[in-house]
């Protein structure tokens, strides 16, 4: 099977008398964190992120110095030459990431890595958070976070309102329909969003599920209500089934789907309650079944990433994220804090042709913490000669 690959370039236009180095290389992933800081003028649209004016007084990147430039993702279908080496190449691919509402979670990091590899980015944002998210984009609050390794900015082609708890308009209760937080938004159930994406773009190649919610996550399982338990399952695991159910028909053969899970699915993590550990276990089990069904019927790969703890806004709702990060630093084989970018890069790999034979898999991206059987920071091991990274 052959696939037409569209080359993605960054078009650069001078808008001042300052020297500008050319930034027109193929938009292929060069994963690093060498580019930091940028400020960007307001965006043209709350839903369509078009060309932006970039003032890079704070941008640091080897071989790149500029004062102002205009960046815009462009396609060049005439350039289909294979790239040297073994790059993560997603040029010509389109990704839909469900569950982005700010710029500091795993969903955003995955979007950035996919964009760095050349993919076009579509986003589904929880309806009550949509206005804040779009306003932040429009006012440039996320500009520093949008900077890609080549100095260009990640562009979000379109933002869709989405509430993955509801599959069809008929499923939405009246109190939600009339809720002021949903006022002004329409076509936000899973079925409607899939239909809108099909109408706007025809098809996608990559589907990312980056959402979860447990209204009673701070409660021990023994104290969790039926409502809280089922709500966690609905929002955190069945939502993935629903997304695949409605998006698979518009996914191109050879496409990939990725979700995010957590080690609480298989190990006891005190404090991670409210049925969330059960929801993650269901998500991992469903990943295997969905990999079989979507693979056989549609040629789509289905995997999940078991990510380590991240100091994101969503994780802070659990209440003990700092303790989990400290625990990981002390006990994981790699004694360093996990970055969202590392999870994003793993997702880009799973979505790429390099992972064409990988499906039904839980990929651990947690500095190896999943491999540990005991916490080596325990006082009982004080007399053991345990290797440590003195830098940390």
């Amino acid at each position: 099977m052959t696939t037409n690959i569209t080359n993605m370039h960054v078009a650069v236009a001078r808008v001042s008398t300052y020297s500008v180095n050319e930034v027109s290389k193929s938009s292929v992933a060069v994963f690093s964190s060498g580019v930091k800081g940028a400020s960007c003028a307001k965006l043209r649209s709350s839903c369509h992120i078009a060309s932006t004016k970039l003032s890079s007084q704070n941008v640091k990147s080897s071989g790149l110095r500029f004062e102002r430039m205009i960046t815009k993702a462009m396609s060049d279908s005439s350039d289909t030459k294979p790239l040297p080496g073994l790059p993560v190449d997603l040029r010509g691919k389109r990704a839909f990431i469900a569950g982005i509402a700010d710029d500091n979670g795993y969903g955003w990091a995955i979007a950035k890595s996919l964009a760095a590899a050349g993919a076009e980015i579509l986003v589904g944002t929880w309806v009550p958070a949509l206005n804040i998210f779009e306003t932040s984009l429009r006012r440039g609050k996320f500009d520093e976070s949008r900077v890609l390794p080549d100095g260009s900015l990640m562009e979000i082609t379109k933002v869709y309102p989405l509430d993955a708890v509801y599959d069809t308009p008929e499923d939405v209760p009246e109190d939600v329909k009339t809720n002021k937080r949903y006022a002004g938004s329409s076509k936000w159930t899973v079925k409607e969003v899939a239909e809108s994406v099909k109408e706007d773009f025809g098809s996608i190649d990559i589907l990312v599920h980056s959402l979860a919610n447990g209204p009673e996550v701070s409660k021990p399982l023994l104290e969790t209500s039926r409502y809280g338990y089922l709500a966690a399952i609905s929002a955190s695991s069945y939502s993935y089934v629903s997304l695949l159910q409605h998006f698979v028909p518009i996914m191109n053969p050879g496409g990939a789907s990725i979700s995010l899970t957590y080690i609480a699915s298989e190990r006891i993590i005190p404090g991670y309650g409210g049925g969330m550990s059960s929801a993650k276990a269901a998500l991992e089990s469903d990943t295997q079944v969905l990999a079989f069904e979507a693979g056989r019927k549609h040629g789509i790969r289905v995997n999940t990433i078991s990510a380590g703890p991240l100091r994101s806004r969503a994780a802070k709702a659990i209440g003990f994220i700092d303790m989990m990060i400290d625990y990981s630093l002390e006990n994981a084989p790699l004694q360093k804090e996990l970055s969202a970018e590392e999870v994003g890069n793993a997702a880009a790999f799973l979505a790429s042709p390099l992972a064409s034979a990988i499906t039904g898999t839980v990929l651990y991206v947690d500095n190896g913490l999943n491999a540990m059987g005991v916490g080596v920071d325990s006082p009982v091991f004080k007399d053991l000669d345990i290797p440590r990274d003195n830098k940390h």
Side-chain angles (χ1 to χ4, degrees):
M1 178 182 69
T2 60
T3 303
N4 293 326
I5 299 177
T6 302
N7 196 9
M8 301 292 292
H9 290 277
V10 175
V12 180
R14 296 177 183 237
V15 293
S16 74
T17 57
Y18 293 88
S19 63
V20 181
N21 288 338
E22 184 178 359
V23 186
S24 60
K25 62 183 179 181
S26 300
S27 178
V28 178
V30 183
F31 298 128
S32 71
S33 55
V35 180
K36 298 179 180 178
S39 62
C40 186
K42 60 185 178 182
L43 305 176
R44 291 184 179 177
S45 166
S46 61
C47 285
H48 292 75
I49 311 307
S51 334
T52 60
K53 185 185 294 182
L54 176 65
S55 168
S56 64
Q57 296 172 345
N58 297 321
V59 172
K60 297 178 182 179
S61 177
S62 59
L64 178 63
R65 296 173 60 88
F66 54 86
E67 286 299 322
R68 290 183 179 181
M69 66 166 62
I70 295 173
T71 64
K72 184 176 181 181
M74 302 180 67
S75 65
D76 180 5
S77 59
S78 63
D79 188 354
T80 58
K81 296 179 180 178
L83 295 162
L86 198 64
V88 173
D89 187 359
L90 297 176
R91 294 174 297 172
K93 305 297 183 182
R94 182 178 297 115
F96 181 88
I97 300 99
I100 297 180
D102 56 42
D103 66 338
N104 74 342
Y106 285 136
W108 179 272
I110 291 172
K112 280 188 67 176
S113 292
L114 296 178
E120 181 180 11
I121 304 300
L122 310 177
V123 167
T125 298
W126 187 47
V127 184
L130 181 67
N131 184 56
I132 295 175
F133 180 67
E134 290 186 324
T135 299
S136 296
L137 278 173
R138 187 170 60 251
R139 293 180 178 177
K141 292 185 177 180
F142 297 153
D143 290 346
E144 181 177 344
S145 301
R146 291 174 59 213
V147 179
L148 298 177
D150 66 358
S152 65
L153 298 183
M154 175 179 71
E155 294 202 24
I156 300 175
T157 302
K158 189 166 183 177
V159 179
Y160 292 87
L162 170 68
D163 192 329
V165 169
Y166 304 107
D167 303 321
T168 68
E170 294 73 30
D171 298 329
V172 184
E174 194 62 33
D175 63 318
V176 174
K177 291 179 181 178
T178 57
N179 191 308
K180 63 181 182 180
R181 297 200 297 172
Y182 287 75
S185 295
S186 60
K187 297 183 178 180
W188 42 260
T189 63
V190 176
K191 179 182 179 181
E192 291 173 302
V193 174
E195 290 173 345
S196 295
V197 171
K198 180 180 181 180
E199 181 179 346
D200 294 338
F201 299 97
S203 64
I204 65 171
D205 303 278
I206 301 163
L207 177 66
V208 178
H209 176 278
S210 178
L211 48 87
N213 183 48
E216 299 180 11
V217 66
S218 60
K219 289 185 178 181
L221 188 58
L222 272 175
E223 299 174 16
T224 299
S225 69
R226 182 182 297 272
Y227 163 79
Y229 186 93
L230 294 179
I233 294 287
S234 174
S236 309
S237 54
Y238 184 78
S239 57
Y240 190 37
V241 177
S242 180
L243 280 171
L244 272 169
Q245 183 181 114
H246 291 91
F247 274 88
V248 156
I250 66 169
M251 292 184 71
N252 295 316
S257 181
I258 302 162
S259 66
L260 291 167
T261 185
Y262 183 48
I263 198 171
S265 63
E266 55 185 287
R267 307 287 174 86
I268 300 169
I269 306 293
Y272 194 75
M276 281 303 301
S277 57
S278 306
K280 292 302 184 182
L283 181 68
E284 293 180 16
S285 178
D286 291 344
T287 293
Q288 295 177 320
V289 178
L290 291 169
F292 174 76
E293 295 180 357
R296 288 295 185 97
K297 295 180 181 179
H298 304 280
I300 303 298
R301 295 181 294 109
V302 183
N303 293 291
T304 188
I305 294 175
S306 184
L310 176 72
R311 212 175 260 110
S312 65
R313 290 188 185 94
K316 288 178 181 178
I318 300 173
F320 64 100
I321 188 63
D322 291 334
M323 287 184 283
M324 293 307 300
I325 291 173
D326 291 341
Y327 179 85
S328 180
L329 281 170
E330 289 296 325
N331 294 287
L334 299 178
Q335 286 189 273
K336 63 181 181 63
E337 187 166 335
L338 182 70
S339 72
E341 181 185 28
E342 291 171 308
V343 173
N345 293 348
F349 161 72
L350 285 176
S352 77
L354 298 181
S356 60
I358 300 175
T359 192
T361 294
V362 177
L363 176 64
Y364 294 94
V365 185
D366 62 355
N367 289 323
L369 186 62
N370 70 92
M372 299 301 297
V374 296
V376 294
D377 61 343
S378 171
V380 302
F381 298 114
K382 67 181 187 304
D383 295 328
L384 287 182
D385 183 17
I386 297 175
R388 292 190 178 277
D389 184 344
N390 292 327
K391 292 182 295 183
H392 297 85

